[in-house]
C-alpha cells in the first residue's frame, strides 16, 4: 500500500491537535470575513440616523451629504490642535459626546480614529481622513479571537465530526448578516463579539469540573462587554454574569468569581444610571404611541391610555414616533409633556402588557416575524456606485436559509427554547443546582430579548432591535445541532433533539408552501374570489389573473400572476404615481394586450394613492406618514390614515393594503423577480416599495427598472366561463364575443 507523503501525515497529525485546529479555524473565519467585507468592493451598512451620536463622541464628522441607503466608507476627523500629540490626546481622552452616548463602543472607535491620524501623518495623507475599513478590520480581528475561544469548546466524539461542527459554526456566525455590521458605526459588532465570548467562556465553565479563576475573570469581562455594547443588553449582561459566576462558585468556590462578578455588575449598573435622559424619553414615547396605541382604533387607544394612567386626549398622537418632525414640540404645547414623562416608565409599560396578555401575544408574534432575518431590511450594503438599497449576497447562504426556515414562527422558536433546555438537562443532570440555574438563565434571556424590544420601544426599528434575539437563537440552534451530531453521549436525546428542532423549524415554511400551493390548485365553481382567469395576451401567451376581490355588483379586482415586463416607475426618479411613467405605460401601451371585447370589460376605477413626504401637500385625506414594514402581514398597517389622494385608472399596481389582505388569506405573493407596489417610501420623494423574491417588501429608486404585476378592475357579471377549472394551472377561459 502506498504510504502518505510526510507532509500529509504532518497535516493530519496537526488537524488532530486541538490547539492548531482552533487557530486554523479562527484564521479561516478571519479570511472569510475579510473577503466578505472587502473582496470585490468594500461593503458595510448604511446609516439610519444612529451614526451621528457615535461620530460626535469620536471626533468624526460626515464628509458626504447624500448618504441615505448607501454605504459610506470615508469620514472626516475633527482636528482640535496644531500638533499631532494634542489631536491624539483630544481624540483619546476628551469627554466630548460621552454624556450623550456613554457606550464602550466609543473606546474602539476612538482607537481607530487615532490610528488613522497617525497613518495620515506618516503617509502624508490629509490629516482629517478617516477610513471606516480600519474599524471593520479591528472588529474582524476581535471577532476571530472570540470565535477561537468558542471553537475550543466544540469537541465531538470523532475528530472529523469536530471539524465539521466548527465549519458549520463558521458558516452560521460569519454570515454577511453578522459581518456587514463591522463596517458601520452601529453598536451591534461589540454585541456580536461579546456574546460569542460569553458563549465560549460559559460553555467552558459549564463543562469543567473545577473552573479556573482566570475563566471567571474572562467571563465577567465578556458579560461586561456584551451588556455595555448596547444599553438594552445591560439586564442580560447582568444576568449572564451573575448566573455563570454563581456556577463557578457552586463548582469550585472561587472567590474570584464573586469579586469579578460584583465589579462587572456594578459597572453595568453605573452605566445604566448614567444613560442620558433623551434616550429614556424617546423610547417611552415610541413605546406608547408607536407601540401600545399604534394600530388600534380611537376607542381602544383611549382605553389603553387610561390603563397607563394617561389623558385620553393623547390618542391623537397614536401612530407617531419621537422622530417625526415637530411632534414633540406640539406634544409639549398641548400640555402633555410633564404628565407623560412622570407617569410612563419601563415598569408601567411592562405592567400594562402583563395585564393585557392577548395583546402582548400579538406583539410577541410581530417581534418573532421581525426576527426572521439577521440584517435589517432598511440597511443597504454598497456605495453610491450601485443603485441605492443594493444588498450584498457574499457569504449569505445562512441568511437565505434562515429567512426560509421557521425562525420567525412560534413553533420554531418554542422548539429552540425547549431543545436548549433539554440539552442543559442532558449535560447537567447530575448537578441539579447548576442545571436549574442554567435553565433559568436561558429562559430569562430568551423571554427578555423576545418581549422587551417591543415593550420598551414599540415597533420603531424593530427588525434591528430583534437582532440580539436572532443572535441568541442562532447560537442555541448551533448548540442543539452540534450536540445532536455527536456531543451528547446517550442516543435518544441526540436523535430527539435533532428531529424535534428540525421538524419545528421546517413546519412553518413547508406549511406555508403547501397552503399557497393548495390555494393555486383549488378549482373554483364559478367566476368568484380566489379563482384564476385568462384575460389578454402578451407576446402570444395568455395572461393569467387572480380574482383577488369581488364586489356585490360583479366588479372584480384582478392581480396579474406574472410580471409583464420590467419598467422604471419614473424616469425622473419621483415616487408620485399621478405623474409616473409606469402609470402612462400601463394605461396606454399595456392595454394593447387586450382585444376589443376584453377592453369593454375593463372599468376605470377611482382608488387611493399614498403620498410621500415630498408630495404631502397634495393629500386630500390622512393624518400620518405611511411607515415601512418589510413584513407582508404588516405592510399595510396604517394605510387608511396615511397621507393620500385619489386617482382614476383602468390599470394600476397592487397597493400595500391589497398585499396585506391577500397575505392574510394565505397567498404568497413572492415572485421570481422584484416588482413594484403602488406605495411610495414615505420619507423621500424618490423611492417606491417593492416585493422581492424572498417575499419581503423593500424599496428601490423609482428610476430603476423592476418587474410589473398589474391590477385591473373588470365587470365579470356580464361574462361566463367557457372552459378551465379556475386553478392557476388551468384558469377559466372567458366567453367574450
Amino acid at each position: 500500500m502506498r504510504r502518505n507523503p510526510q507532509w500529509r501525515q504532518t497535516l493530519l497529525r496537526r488537524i488532530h491537535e486541538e490547539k492548531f485546529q482552533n487557530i486554523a479555524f479562527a484564521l479561516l473565519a478571519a479570511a472569510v470575513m475579510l473577503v466578505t467585507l472587502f473582496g470585490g468592493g468594500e461593503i458595510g451598512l448604511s446609516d439610519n440616523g444612529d451614526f451621528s451620536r457615535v461620530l460626535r463622541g469620536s471626533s468624526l464628522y460626515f464628509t458626504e451629504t447624500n448618504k441615505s441607503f448607501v454605504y459610506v466608507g470615508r469620514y472626516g476627523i475633527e482636528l482640535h490642535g496644531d500638533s499631532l500629540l494634542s489631536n491624539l490626546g483630544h481624540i483619546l481622552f476628551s469627554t466630548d459626546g460621552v454624556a450623550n452616548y456613554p457606550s464602550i463602543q466609543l473606546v474602539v472607535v476612538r482607537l481607530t480614529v487615532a490610528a488613522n491620524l497617525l497613518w495620515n501623518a506618516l503617509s502624508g495623507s490629509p490629516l482629517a481622513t478617516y477610513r471606516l475599513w480600519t474599524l471593520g478590520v479591528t472588529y474582524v480581528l476581535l471577532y476571530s479571537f472570540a470565535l477561537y475561544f468558542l471553537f475550543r469548546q466544540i469537541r465531538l466524539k470523532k475528530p472529523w465530526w469536530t471539524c465539521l461542527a466548527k465549519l458549520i459554526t463558521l458558516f452560521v456566525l460569519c454570515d454577511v448578516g453578522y459581518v456587514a455590521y463591522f463596517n458601520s458605526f452601529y453598536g451591534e459588532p461589540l454585541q456580536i463579539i461579546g456574546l460569542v465570548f460569553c458563549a465560549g467562556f460559559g460553555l467552558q465553565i459549564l463543562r469543567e469540573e473545577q473552573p479556573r479563576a482566570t475563566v471567571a475573570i474572562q467571563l465577567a469581562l465578556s458579560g461586561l462587554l456584551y451588556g455595555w455594547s448596547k444599553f438594552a443588553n445591560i439586564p442580560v449582561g447582568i444576568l449572564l454574569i451573575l448566573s455563570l459566576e454563581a456556577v463557578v462558585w457552586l463548582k469550585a468556590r472561587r472567590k474570584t468569581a464573586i469579586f469579578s462578578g460584583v465589579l462587572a455588575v456594578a459597572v453595568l449598573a453605573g452605566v445604566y444610571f448614567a444613560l442620558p435622559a433623551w434616550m429614556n424619553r424617546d423610547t417611552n414615547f415610541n413605546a406608547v404611541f408607536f407601540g401600545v396605541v399604534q394600530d388600534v382604533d380611537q376607542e381602544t387607544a383611549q382605553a389603553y391610555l387610561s390603563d397607563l394612567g394617561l389623558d385620553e386626549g393623547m390618542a391623537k398622537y397614536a401612530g407617531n414616533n419621537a422622530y417625526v418632525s415637530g411632534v414633540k414640540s406640539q406634544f409639549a404645547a398641548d400640555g402633555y409633556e410633564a404628565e407623560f414623562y412622570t407617569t410612563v416608565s419601563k415598569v408601567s409599560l411592562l405592567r400594562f402588557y402583563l395585564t393585557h396578555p392577548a395583546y402582548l401575544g400579538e406583539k410577541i408574534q410581530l417581534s418573532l416575524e421581525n426576527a426572521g432575518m439577521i440584517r435589517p431590511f432598511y440597511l443597504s450594503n454598497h456605495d453610491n456606485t450601485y443603485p441605492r438599497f443594493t444588498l450584498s449576497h457574499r457569504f449569505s447562504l445562512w441568511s437565505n436559509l434562515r429567512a426560509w426556515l421557521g425562525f420567525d414562527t412560534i413553533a420554531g422558536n418554542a422548539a429552540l427554547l425547549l431543545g436548549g433546555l433539554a440539552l442543559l438537562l442532558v449535560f447537567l443532570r447530575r448537578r441539579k443546582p447548576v442545571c436549574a440555574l442554567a435553565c433559568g438563565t436561558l429562559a430569562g434571556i430568551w423571554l427578555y430579548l423576545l418581549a422587551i424590544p417591543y415593550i420598551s420601544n414599540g415597533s420603531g426599528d424593530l427588525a434591528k432591535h430583534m437582532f440580539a434575539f436572532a443572535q441568541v437563537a442562532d447560537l442555541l440552534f448551533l448548540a442543539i445541532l452540534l450536540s445532536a451530531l455527536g456531543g451528547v453521549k446517550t442516543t435518544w436525546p441526540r436523535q430527539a433533539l435533532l428531529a424535534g428542532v428540525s421538524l419545528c423549524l421546517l413546519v412553518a415554511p413547508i406549511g406555508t408552501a403547501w397552503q399557497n400551493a393548495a390555494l393555486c390548485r383549488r378549482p373554483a365553481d364559478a367566476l368568484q374570489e380566489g379563482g384564476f382567469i385568462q384575460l389578454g395576451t402578451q407576446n402570444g401567451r395568455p395572461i393569467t389573473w387572480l380574482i383577488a376581490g369581488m364586489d356585490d355588483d360583479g366588479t372584480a379586482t384582478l392581480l396579474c400572476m406574472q410580471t409583464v415586463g420590467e419598467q422604471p416607475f419614473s424616469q425622473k426618479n419621483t415616487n408620485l404615481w399621478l405623474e409616473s411613467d409606469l402609470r402612462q405605460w400601463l394605461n396606454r401601451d399595456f392595454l394593447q394586450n387586450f382585444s376589443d371585447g376584453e377592453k369593454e370589460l375593463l372599468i376605470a376605477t377611482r382608488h387611493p394613492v399614498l403620498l410621500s413626504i415630498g408630495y404631502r401637500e397634495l393629500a386630500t385625506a390622512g393624518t400620518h406618514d405611511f411607515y415601512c414594514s418589510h413584513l407582508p402581514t404588516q405592510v399595510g398597517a396604517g394605510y387608511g390614515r396615511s397621507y393620500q389622494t385619489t386617482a382614476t385608472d383602468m390599470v394600476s399596481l397592487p397597493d400595500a393594503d391589497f398585499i396585506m389582505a391577500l397575505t392574510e388569506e394565505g397567498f404568497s405573493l413572492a415572485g421570481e423577480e422584484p416588482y413594484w407596489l403602488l406605495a411610495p417610501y414615505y420619507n423621500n420623494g424618490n423611492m417606491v416599495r417593492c416585493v422581492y423574491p424572498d417575499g419581503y417588501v423593500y424599496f428601490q429608486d423609482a428610476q430603476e427598472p423592476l418587474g410589473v404585476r398589474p391590477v385591473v378592475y373588470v365587470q365579470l357579471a356580464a361574462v361566463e366561463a367557457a372552459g378551465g377549472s379556475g386553478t392557476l394551472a388551468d384558469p377559466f377561459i372567458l366567453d367574450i364575443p
Side-chain angles (χ1 to χ4, degrees):
M1 181 181 293
R2 183 180 177 183
R3 301 184 63 183
N4 286 333
Q6 184 64 34
W7 68 268
R8 187 177 299 174
Q9 292 180 357
T10 303
L11 178 62
L12 291 173
R13 186 170 64 252
R14 289 290 190 183
I15 289 175
H16 283 74
E17 292 178 9
E18 183 180 350
K19 182 177 180 180
F20 177 85
Q21 186 184 98
N22 295 329
I23 293 174
F25 274 103
L27 291 174
L28 178 60
V32 167
M33 290 185 282
L34 290 172
V35 170
T36 300
L37 289 176
F38 308 111
E42 187 175 337
I43 66 167
L45 286 183
S46 58
D47 178 23
N48 75 330
D50 287 356
F51 285 13
S52 57
R53 61 194 182 202
V54 179
L55 299 185
R56 287 196 300 267
S58 307
S59 298
L60 292 172
Y61 62 88
F62 292 107
T63 57
E64 296 188 30
T65 56
N66 185 20
K67 57 185 187 304
S68 297
F69 307 111
V70 293
Y71 165 72
V72 176
R74 193 173 292 272
Y75 296 81
I77 303 174
E78 293 180 353
L79 303 177
H80 298 274
D82 297 329
S83 68
L84 179 62
L85 286 178
S86 63
N87 278 297
L88 285 173
H90 187 276
I91 289 168
L92 293 173
F93 304 112
S94 170
T95 59
D96 292 351
V98 175
N100 186 64
Y101 188 61
S103 172
I104 197 172
Q105 179 189 1
L106 297 182
V107 175
V108 181
V109 177
R110 286 185 176 199
L111 287 173
T112 62
V113 175
N116 272 271
L117 191 65
L118 284 171
W119 175 255
N120 293 338
L122 293 172
S123 65
S125 302
L127 277 181
T129 301
Y130 178 80
R131 307 158 188 84
L132 187 57
W133 65 262
T134 58
L135 182 62
V137 171
T138 301
Y139 284 140
V140 166
L141 295 176
L142 290 173
Y143 194 41
S144 301
F145 193 47
L147 288 171
Y148 166 76
F149 284 98
L150 182 61
F151 289 146
R152 287 175 54 181
Q153 304 309 312
I154 299 177
R155 303 170 189 168
L156 304 188
K157 292 180 178 180
K158 297 180 180 179
W160 291 110
W161 287 8
T162 300
C163 288
L164 176 61
K166 291 173 183 178
L167 279 174
I168 293 173
T169 302
L170 187 152
F171 166 78
V172 172
L173 298 183
C174 292
D175 186 271
V176 68
Y178 287 102
V179 176
Y181 271 110
F182 292 177
N183 254 9
S184 77
F185 288 113
Y186 295 113
E188 275 74 9
L190 286 181
Q191 171 184 284
I192 297 168
I193 294 165
L195 187 60
V196 170
F197 269 125
C198 286
F201 293 125
L203 287 173
Q204 186 173 348
I205 287 171
L206 292 174
R207 184 190 298 273
E208 292 179 347
E209 290 297 323
Q210 293 287 320
R212 292 165 291 167
T214 54
V215 180
I217 296 173
Q218 292 167 330
L219 188 279
L221 291 174
S222 301
L224 180 62
L225 177 63
Y226 178 75
W228 203 348
S229 63
K230 300 278 289 183
F231 302 131
N233 294 340
I234 288 177
V236 176
I238 290 175
L239 181 57
L240 275 170
I241 293 168
L242 290 178
S243 59
L244 290 174
E245 298 292 12
V247 172
V248 176
W249 172 255
L250 288 171
K251 284 189 169 186
R253 294 297 192 269
R254 302 286 188 190
K255 294 181 180 180
T256 309
I258 298 176
F259 295 143
S260 59
V262 169
L263 182 60
V265 168
V267 171
L268 288 178
V271 171
Y272 181 82
F273 289 111
L275 293 181
W278 71 265
M279 195 171 291
N280 193 51
R281 291 163 67 91
D282 285 359
T283 55
N284 284 351
F285 190 96
N286 293 342
V288 173
F289 299 110
F290 213 55
V292 172
V293 297
Q294 180 186 12
D295 292 319
V296 297
D297 57 48
Q298 182 79 3
E299 183 179 351
T300 304
Q302 291 175 344
Y304 285 170
L305 289 169
S306 179
D307 291 343
L308 283 167
L310 297 172
D311 190 328
E312 294 180 0
M314 295 183 190
K316 69 178 183 179
Y317 289 96
N320 284 289
N321 62 58
Y323 310 112
V324 174
S325 178
V327 69
K328 287 193 287 187
S329 58
Q330 184 60 47
F331 193 67
D334 288 342
Y336 291 132
E337 186 176 41
E339 175 191 354
F340 181 85
Y341 291 117
T342 56
T343 303
V344 176
S345 65
K346 299 295 187 289
V347 174
S348 64
L349 289 165
L350 179 60
R351 185 187 306 118
F352 167 83
Y353 280 105
L354 291 177
T355 55
H356 297 77
Y359 196 50
L360 175 60
E362 293 177 15
K363 302 310 178 186
I364 286 178
Q365 174 65 46
L366 177 59
S367 297
L368 284 176
E369 291 178 16
N370 276 277
M373 58 169 52
I374 305 175
R375 53 183 169 184
F377 70 95
Y378 48 81
L379 300 180
S380 48
N381 298 131
H382 288 278
D383 60 23
N384 56 16
T385 60
Y386 291 78
R388 289 196 298 175
F389 198 72
T390 301
L391 299 177
S392 172
H393 296 286
R394 301 177 196 165
F395 208 75
S396 60
L397 292 176
W398 174 244
S399 291
N400 299 332
L401 180 62
R402 193 184 197 281
W404 186 80
L405 291 173
F407 282 88
D408 58 350
T409 66
I410 292 177
N413 283 277
L416 282 176
L417 179 57
L418 294 175
L421 294 174
L423 192 60
L424 290 173
L425 290 172
V426 170
F427 272 121
L428 303 174
R429 61 187 181 278
R430 296 179 182 177
R431 287 184 174 271
K432 293 183 179 180
V434 173
C435 183
L437 190 59
C439 289
T441 301
L442 175 59
I445 291 172
W446 191 264
L447 293 174
Y448 176 90
L449 293 176
L450 175 59
I452 292 302
Y454 192 96
I455 292 174
S456 65
N457 199 40
S459 63
D461 287 352
L462 186 58
K464 185 167 176 288
H465 295 159
M466 291 304 296
F467 177 78
F469 177 83
Q471 187 187 3
V472 170
D474 282 357
L475 286 173
L476 192 54
F477 174 74
L478 282 172
I480 296 168
L481 179 62
L482 301 187
S483 297
L485 286 174
V488 181
K489 293 182 179 180
T490 52
T491 302
W492 69 265
R494 181 169 60 207
Q495 296 174 341
L497 287 172
L498 181 61
V501 173
S502 300
L503 178 62
C504 289
L505 287 174
L506 289 171
V507 68
I510 290 176
T512 300
W514 179 86
Q515 181 184 27
N516 189 60
L519 288 170
C520 294
R521 292 194 305 266
R522 182 184 60 190
D525 296 331
L527 297 176
Q528 60 186 9
E529 188 172 327
F532 298 88
I533 67 171
Q534 286 182 5
L535 192 69
T537 58
Q538 187 179 43
N539 299 324
R541 300 179 63 183
I543 304 174
T544 302
W545 306 78
L546 167 68
I547 305 176
M550 181 79 76
D551 293 340
D552 293 338
D553 63 357
T555 301
T557 302
L558 307 183
L559 170 65
C560 190
M561 291 306 293
Q562 67 259 34
T563 57
V564 294
E566 288 190 354
Q567 296 284 334
F569 190 89
S570 167
Q571 297 281 2
K572 297 179 180 179
N573 203 32
T574 61
N575 58 18
L576 181 62
W577 169 254
L578 301 177
E579 300 176 359
S580 68
D581 299 297
L582 184 54
R583 182 190 187 198
Q584 294 184 29
W585 181 82
L586 284 171
N587 287 276
R588 186 183 58 202
D589 298 348
F590 178 70
L591 286 176
Q592 303 310 309
N593 293 308
F594 299 96
S595 68
D596 291 340
E598 290 171 332
K599 288 179 183 178
E600 291 181 4
L601 297 178
L602 302 182
I603 302 171
T605 301
R606 195 171 185 84
H607 59 91
V609 175
L610 298 182
L611 300 169
S612 65
I613 191 172
Y615 302 102
R616 191 181 292 173
E617 71 277 1
L618 301 176
T620 57
T623 57
H624 289 68
D625 288 316
F626 184 62
Y627 297 112
C628 290
S629 173
H630 67 294
L631 302 172
T633 56
Q634 294 293 316
V635 69
Y639 180 90
R641 65 184 180 196
S642 299
Y643 295 113
Q644 57 189 265
T645 185
T646 58
T648 301
D649 292 304
M650 196 83 74
V651 189
S652 64
L653 296 173
D655 62 27
D657 195 46
F658 183 87
I659 291 290
M660 188 170 74
L662 286 178
T663 301
E664 290 173 348
E665 293 175 13
F667 284 98
S668 173
L669 297 173
E672 295 182 357
E673 58 182 317
Y675 62 90
W676 294 115
L677 294 183
L678 188 64
Y681 171 65
Y682 76 97
N683 207 28
N684 64 41
N686 311 113
M687 305 186 87
V688 183
R689 308 300 304 281
C690 44
V691 178
Y692 266 59
D694 60 9
Y696 291 129
V697 182
Y698 303 128
F699 32 84
Q700 189 57 265
D701 272 310
Q703 65 188 2
E704 301 298 329
L706 293 187
V708 181
R709 289 182 66 175
V711 168
V712 296
Y713 310 94
V714 178
Q715 179 53 256
L716 287 183
V719 295
E720 295 180 353
S725 61
T727 65
L728 180 61
D730 184 30
F732 286 127
I733 299 173
L734 302 182
D735 183 12
I736 300 175

